[in-house]
Amino acid sequence: MSLRLATRRLFCSKPVPLGLSRPSSSSITESFKGFSFGKFFEETYFWKKANVGPFFILLFCTPMIYRSVKDMYWTRQLRKLSTEEIISDRYEWLRLNMLQDEVEAAFLASAPAGGVASLELGPSTPP
């Protein structure tokens, strides 16, 4: 439906105020006949009168701009993730050392008062 409305808007004649004559379709065709690609893409006309030069500069620079923005985003995200991993690793180290301290304290509490006797394999003096 929108395509139908767009074609009607494009090809229907525009309303003309009272007292003025309708523009002829020949003026439109004359403007197309007067168009020259060589003139349009000539440097001075292209940059100053047609004013499409900035558009082509943006079109040319878009991949570099996109890549730069993407790199900035991922650098920020990975820096944040790196900080979170460092903090997480510190908590993990603290938790493991606390468990090790508890195990050592439980072992020392269950050891005899004089300490653990050393184990001898064989006689202490030669035969």
Side-chain angles (χ1 to χ4, degrees):
M1 181 168 165
S2 61
L3 183 61
R4 182 177 59 87
L5 291 175
T7 54
R8 282 184 62 198
R9 200 175 309 134
L10 182 65
F11 292 114
C12 287
S13 62
K14 305 279 188 244
V16 179
L18 292 174
L20 295 178
S21 63
R22 292 194 177 273
S24 64
S25 62
S26 63
S27 65
I28 296 171
T29 56
E30 288 174 13
S31 66
F32 281 121
K33 286 180 184 176
F35 180 76
S36 168
F37 280 103
K39 182 184 175 199
F40 183 78
F41 285 103
E42 184 182 47
E43 187 174 359
T44 56
Y45 186 82
F46 184 78
W47 289 101
K48 294 190 176 150
K49 292 183 182 170
N51 202 19
V52 291
F55 171 74
F56 281 104
I57 288 175
L58 177 68
L59 194 66
F60 178 73
C61 293
T62 297
M64 292 174 277
I65 294 169
Y66 172 75
R67 196 174 303 123
S68 299
V69 170
K70 184 179 74 168
D71 288 344
M72 286 188 319
Y73 172 78
W74 283 112
T75 301
R76 185 171 167 235
Q77 292 299 318
L78 291 175
R79 192 173 290 150
K80 184 177 165 186
L81 178 67
S82 179
T83 304
E84 291 172 357
E85 284 181 351
I86 290 170
I87 292 170
S88 175
D89 288 345
R90 288 181 183 169
Y91 278 115
E92 183 67 18
W93 175 85
L94 180 62
R95 187 182 72 79
L96 289 174
N97 280 339
M98 287 174 64
L99 284 173
Q100 186 177 359
D101 291 344
E102 287 179 18
V103 168
E104 287 176 359
F107 174 72
L108 290 175
S110 66
V116 179
S118 60
L119 180 63
E120 288 186 20
L121 296 175
S124 58
T125 57

